[in-house]
Amino acid sequence: MRGAKAGLLAMLLTLAAFSASVSADEDSRIVINDEIFSTSGPVWISVSCLKVGCPGMELVIWSDGVEESHEDPHLVEWSGWVEGNVSWQLLVDSGTEANDLSTEVILSRMDEWTEYTDLPNIVPSPGSQGEYPQINTTSPCQLHFCGAIDLLSEGVLYVGALENQSDKDAVMVVGDPGDVLLLNSLRGPSEIHIEIWQRGEESKSLLDTIERTEMGHYFEYPAQGELWIRLVHSAEEDYSPYEFEIIRYDDDSEAPNGGELSNPWNHGEALPFYGDSSLLYHGHLAASDSQGDSLLIASGAKMVLEPFCSFTDIVSVEIMLHQMDGSSLAVESGCAEEFETTEQTVSIEFGLTTQGKTAAWSI
């Protein structure tokens, strides 16, 4: 009997020791993220380790009643179509903190800008008619003012997915010649790039191919026909959600009262000088715009000014001081140095031109 009791005691001690060991292992795991959201469309969740390695890094997903787990010390990710709720946890061993990790999530924010029906694989043949999918967006921002705006984007954040190795997605972008467009971002788990196409009545042509590393990319709407963009990924990839941001700057709404900005200025009174409030004026030059843009800002006499000019490509700047008597004086230094207005200066005009380049400017 004593032997039986001794054996039972030994077994209990062994189980207790095993339980303590399991608890110690569990206690060493930390839940860094624990989130749930509701959506309809493609979803991608990716967490990468910014250190040499993050031991015990595990991504656990619950979607459509199914649990999935992915574990790797460097990168964990999950992709899928979600209808309803999806919840996820990120666990790591102790010693890894939130700032050691980089997290990216793609999910549908607006039904209008989500691929619910598979987009065409190719840009349609020239002249063919059909109900083709379109992206129609115009930036609400003009010079120094932005109207009511979805803070997520100045344009459209479009979410879709390439279903398999052979899937491609093509979509038409509404616009007119002279408009400037910006491909501002491209995200997803695979090596996706964007082709820019022109389609007319008699021909279609590939204008450019933009890699993810080339975002944001400014370009001009074609002089003839339609603009299409086409998303392509590497042949080795399977289901790949993507998100891209595209913004259209309509040249018909550049000026204060509508229409295209002229050079020289012919849009009425000078715009306000903001001084210490540090507000910027913004605009865009299309490659085909030979005249360029101008900006007329109210000024005063004997002011020492230091212009801050920023451009995404090579832009030439001419600065003129307009005087009370209607004459003008050139500022030879342009944006390079500070300058002083005269006793008669009432406004300052910036003339901006580019040689065959599409560029954004801010002053």
Side-chain angles (χ1 to χ4, degrees), residues 37-46 61 63 77-86 88 104-108 159-161 189 239-242:
F37 50 79
S38 180
T39 187
S40 174
V43 172
W44 173 55
I45 302 171
S46 173
I61 304 287
S63 176
E77 58 184 351
W78 178 86
S79 299
W81 179 277
V82 173
E83 285 286 352
N85 292 334
V86 59
W88 62 282
E104 285 195 84
V105 176
I106 289 176
L107 58 91
S108 170
V159 174
Y239 186 82
S240 296
Y242 59 78

Side-chain angles (χ1 to χ4, degrees), residues 19-334:
S19 177
S21 175
V22 171
S23 297
D25 288 343
E26 291 177 348
D27 290 343
S28 69
R29 303 295 297 283
I30 300 171
V31 178
I32 294 286
N33 275 325
D34 189 354
E35 298 187 29
I36 182 171
F37 50 79
S38 180
T39 187
S40 174
V43 172
W44 173 55
I45 302 171
S46 173
V47 183
S48 57
C49 179
L50 302 178
K51 306 190 297 182
V52 174
C54 297
M57 186 164 69
E58 181 182 11
L59 177 65
V60 184
I61 304 287
W62 294 270
S63 176
D64 197 23
V66 177
E67 177 182 323
E68 288 189 42
S69 175
H70 301 269
E71 189 169 353
D72 187 271
H74 306 294
L75 173 68
V76 287
E77 58 184 351
W78 178 86
S79 299
W81 179 277
V82 173
E83 285 286 352
N85 292 334
V86 59
S87 56
W88 62 282
Q89 277 189 344
L90 182 74
L91 300 94
V92 293
D93 288 351
S94 60
T96 296
E97 300 178 355
N99 58 9
D100 295 322
L101 306 169
S102 174
T103 302
E104 285 195 84
V105 176
I106 289 176
L107 58 91
S108 170
R109 295 179 176 88
M110 295 182 63
D111 291 347
E112 183 181 3
W113 306 126
T114 301
E115 183 197 16
Y116 288 111
T117 302
D118 190 29
L119 293 174
N121 273 357
I122 62 171
V123 176
S125 301
S128 64
Q129 303 297 315
E131 293 293 326
Y132 299 124
Q134 298 180 350
I135 292 177
N136 190 352
T137 177
T138 304
S139 169
C141 298
Q142 174 197 74
L143 291 174
H144 63 293
F145 171 77
C146 281
I149 182 173
D150 175 358
L151 294 179
L152 289 172
S153 174
E154 196 180 328
V156 164
L157 281 170
Y158 191 92
V159 174
L162 299 176
E163 298 282 344
N164 50 48
Q165 296 179 1
S166 60
D167 191 21
K168 313 289 186 293
D169 282 353
V171 60
M172 187 176 81
V173 181
V174 175
D176 298 297
D179 292 348
V180 172
L181 294 104
L182 168 62
L183 280 170
N184 200 35
S185 64
L186 174 62
R187 301 194 300 131
S190 66
E191 290 303 317
I192 299 177
H193 60 266
I194 294 181
E195 298 175 348
I196 300 175
W197 287 77
Q198 178 268 339
R199 187 184 88 107
E201 288 295 324
E202 298 181 354
S203 65
K204 68 176 183 179
S205 57
L206 176 64
L207 304 178
D208 206 348
T209 299
I210 310 302
E211 303 293 339
R212 191 188 319 218
T213 55
E214 298 177 87
M215 305 292 158
H217 176 75
Y218 288 92
F219 61 103
E220 184 178 4
Y221 203 90
Q224 296 180 340
E226 304 163 347
L227 170 69
W228 285 70
I229 59 176
R230 182 171 180 257
L231 289 101
V232 181
H233 67 168
S234 61
E236 295 79 17
E237 300 292 345
D238 290 322
Y239 186 82
S240 296
Y242 59 78
E243 176 196 84
F244 66 86
E245 181 182 21
I246 187 166
I247 304 169
R248 179 168 71 98
Y249 299 99
D250 190 345
D251 68 333
D252 291 331
S253 60
E254 282 186 323
N257 296 314
E260 186 176 358
L261 274 177
S262 64
N263 187 18
W265 182 269
N266 65 0
H267 307 290
E269 295 183 0
L271 299 174
F273 180 88
Y274 284 101
D276 292 338
S277 61
S278 299
L279 292 184
L280 298 175
Y281 286 93
H282 300 272
H284 303 84
L285 291 164
S288 64
D289 185 359
S290 58
Q291 291 187 335
D293 292 348
S294 66
L295 179 67
L296 186 66
I297 300 176
S299 178
K302 305 300 288 183
M303 293 176 64
V304 177
L305 302 175
E306 183 178 2
F308 290 89
C309 306
S310 176
F311 313 108
T312 59
D313 212 309
I314 299 174
V315 172
S316 299
V317 183
E318 293 184 354
I319 301 178
M320 302 294 291
L321 304 181
H322 294 299
Q323 312 293 76
M324 286 183 181
D325 62 4
S327 63
S328 299
L329 298 174
V331 176
E332 300 297 335
S333 59

